[in-house]
Amino acid sequence: MVRHGLFGAILAACVAPSRAACPAGGVNMHGKCWFLGEAGASCSQTCKDKGLSFSHHVAGEAAPMVPKLLGREPGTRQFPWGRIECYVAASDRFHTAKERPDGNTGDKGDAGDWSVDVCRLACSCSQGAAAPSPPVNPSAPYPGCTEQNSVYRHAGAHAIFVDLSAFGATGCWQNDCKNTDKFNAADMGVCARTCMQFDECTHWSYGEQEDAKKCFLRKSDGGREQADGWVSAPKACAPPAVPDAHMALTAANILLPCDAGKSAACPDMARAVTTWRF
């Protein structure tokens, strides 16, 4: 029993949240500063009020954040619902979080913009407030015109939702690439060139989200925040357009295995057929 108690004390010390590195009583875990927002407030607003910026993180089922932020276990623990943990004070219950929200959450766009009237959200914030416009030479050749460590958030107002199915097939909002502001992209040049294809796109951001490199299209830079590893730029900051002939030749080489029909090398003939548009 003594050994068990000692082990428990050591384990508690190892996993205990730290408040020393976060402002205003925040809990420091997973490399973020966590706060329990007010009922009805979004995490973007909660983090902004603390002088920080929202940085999404799902703590997981094994060690959710709401009990750590309350300092106790709520009366009822419910199933994972949205992308952010939700605590309902009136009934002392909480939902854990997951990467993909249920369809009835209203959780659309950036996770930081989501709010529910009765929910106090467990918000993960990163050090560094909304970033001012960094010194960038917009007339410099690409990629010198890009803003390093800067991201343009949707923030409820700045995203464009368009049909990106011709540019990407994964990483889209709610897996719908025909109505999305984002998609998985191999490099930031793809992102910049995609923005050039849409009149309503004025800015783009490129960085890692949910373990994938993603491109985000925006209609302004109003949601600018500091974010390590991200790159953002206005529409004009892009590499030269790839000639159609070069794109057609590249596509032909990639799709050559499909000439033999469906196989492990060509699992989706329908998508292969729609590639031929040059």
Side-chain angles (χ1 to χ4, degrees), residues 99 184 208-214:
E99 291 291 348
N184 289 356
E208 186 170 335
Q209 183 188 72
E210 298 171 351
D211 297 323
K213 292 291 187 180
K214 291 185 183 288

Side-chain angles (χ1 to χ4, degrees), residues 191-212:
C191 188
R193 289 188 177 112
T194 302
C195 181
M196 294 287 288
Q197 302 302 310
F198 295 91
D199 291 340
E200 56 266 61
C201 182
T202 64
H203 295 78
W204 55 268
S205 288
Y206 181 77
E208 186 170 335
Q209 183 188 72
E210 298 171 351
D211 297 323

Side-chain angles (χ1 to χ4, degrees), residues 52-148:
L52 306 173
S53 58
F54 174 69
S55 179
H56 186 229
H57 183 87
V58 176
E61 286 286 286
M65 289 303 301
V66 165
K68 296 177 177 63
L69 292 168
L70 289 175
R72 61 177 179 83
E73 190 72 27
T76 303
R77 171 174 170 163
Q78 297 182 282
F79 56 89
W81 187 45
R83 288 181 289 173
I84 300 173
E85 295 174 35
C86 160
Y87 172 65
V88 182
S91 49
D92 195 28
R93 60 183 175 86
F94 80 106
H95 286 279
T96 55
K98 56 184 178 179
E99 291 291 348
R100 293 183 179 177
D102 286 353
N104 64 346
T105 60
D107 183 1
K108 299 180 178 180
D110 283 356
D113 298 327
W114 181 56
S115 65
V116 180
D117 288 346
V118 298
C119 282
R120 297 186 66 189
L121 300 178
C123 301
S124 52
C125 309
S126 62
Q127 296 287 351
S133 180
V136 175
N137 181 2
S139 61
Y142 174 89
C145 48
T146 59
E147 299 177 12
Q148 300 296 311

Side-chain angles (χ1 to χ4, degrees), residues 2-89:
V2 173
R3 290 182 61 192
H4 177 75
L6 179 59
F7 175 77
I10 294 172
L11 181 61
C14 290
V15 302
S18 168
R19 298 179 184 266
C22 295
V27 170
N28 184 3
M29 288 198 76
H30 308 293
K32 316 286 183 184
C33 287
W34 294 77
F35 300 89
L36 197 60
E38 296 299 322
S42 70
C43 280
S44 288
Q45 186 60 53
T46 296
C47 293
K48 183 178 180 181
D49 290 346
K50 305 297 183 182
L52 306 173
S53 58
F54 174 69
S55 179
H56 186 229
H57 183 87
V58 176
E61 286 286 286
M65 289 303 301
V66 165
K68 296 177 177 63
L69 292 168
L70 289 175
R72 61 177 179 83
E73 190 72 27
T76 303
R77 171 174 170 163
Q78 297 182 282
F79 56 89
W81 187 45
R83 288 181 289 173
I84 300 173
E85 295 174 35
C86 160
Y87 172 65
V88 182

